[in-house]
Amino acid sequence: MKILTLDLLRWGPFSDLHLDFSTPSRALHVVVGSNEAGKSTTLRAITGLFFGIPDRTTDDHRHKKDELRLGAKIAAEDGTELSFVRRKGRKNTLKDSSDQVIDEDRLRKFLGNLDEAQFKMMFGLSHERLIEGGHALVQGKGDLGESLFGAGLGQSGMSALLQKLGKRAEDIFTPQARTRKLNV
């Protein structure tokens, strides 16, 4: 999936800001800017656009909560496009250009059925997430830590392997058991 356009219609400090990422078609776009330029605000906008604007948001300081709007045009790998607008609300918040409700599942297919946590982990790079990820990596926690640890061993499915080994260990010994092999 590729974001072709992103519209911060009424979001944070922005009104009717249109960002065009459609050309060149195979480019990687990196958004950079000085402090307080709106990078984190834009990242929250993309997350809210795809997964819904949270009930509690800090992006209502210029526009009222019920006025918050984000828009986009996205393309799937097969070239199929979807244009939509997301408003803040509890239901029917995703609409097309004719103001008709779009089923959330249609958008999820464009996203490869990623949930919000997966999306943030894979695409929501921020200073805070880098720090969190670094700590998790050092401790071997989280999907990234497990993946890197597994890659270093030339294996995949580290969680499944750890569970299997844990079960085998319990079959041999547990502190309170009387019938386990090692306890006997």
Side-chain angles (χ1 to χ4, degrees), residues 24-88:
S25 63
R26 294 267 182 219
L28 169 67
H29 297 277
V30 178
V31 177
V32 295
S34 59
N35 288 343
E36 302 301 317
K39 300 177 302 293
S40 296
T41 301
T42 302
L43 182 56
R44 283 192 308 277
I46 293 170
T47 305
L49 178 73
F50 290 149
F51 301 100
I53 300 169
D55 285 337
R56 293 178 187 232
T57 180
T58 59
D59 294 298
D60 62 344
H61 51 275
R62 182 171 178 190
H63 308 283
K64 295 178 185 175
K65 282 189 185 345
D66 62 346
E67 294 175 353
L68 296 178
R69 298 284 186 282
L70 301 162
K73 181 187 218 180
I74 59 176
E77 287 186 37
D78 66 3
T80 307
E81 294 182 357
L82 177 65
S83 295
F84 59 98
V85 171
R86 171 81 69 183
R87 69 173 180 79
K88 180 160 178 20

Side-chain angles (χ1 to χ4, degrees), residues 78-132:
D78 66 3
T80 307
E81 294 182 357
L82 177 65
S83 295
F84 59 98
V85 171
R86 171 81 69 183
R87 69 173 180 79
K88 180 160 178 20
R90 295 192 180 206
K91 62 182 189 174
N92 299 328
T93 62
L94 194 62
K95 297 195 175 186
D96 65 15
S97 59
S98 303
D99 205 36
Q100 297 299 310
V101 174
I102 298 175
D103 187 352
E104 294 282 343
D105 287 339
R106 187 168 169 209
L107 176 58
R108 296 289 170 265
K109 288 178 184 171
F110 275 82
L111 297 171
N113 292 315
L114 285 176
D115 64 26
E116 186 174 351
Q118 292 169 320
F119 180 83
K120 285 180 177 179
M121 177 62 73
M122 294 173 69
F123 305 109
L125 191 60
S126 69
H127 183 256
E128 293 80 19
R129 302 232 5 111
L130 282 172
I131 291 171
E132 289 172 16

Side-chain angles (χ1 to χ4, degrees), residues 4-15:
L4 300 174
T5 63
L6 175 63
D7 296 309
L8 305 178
L9 302 170
R10 287 181 288 290
W11 185 260
F14 303 109
S15 295

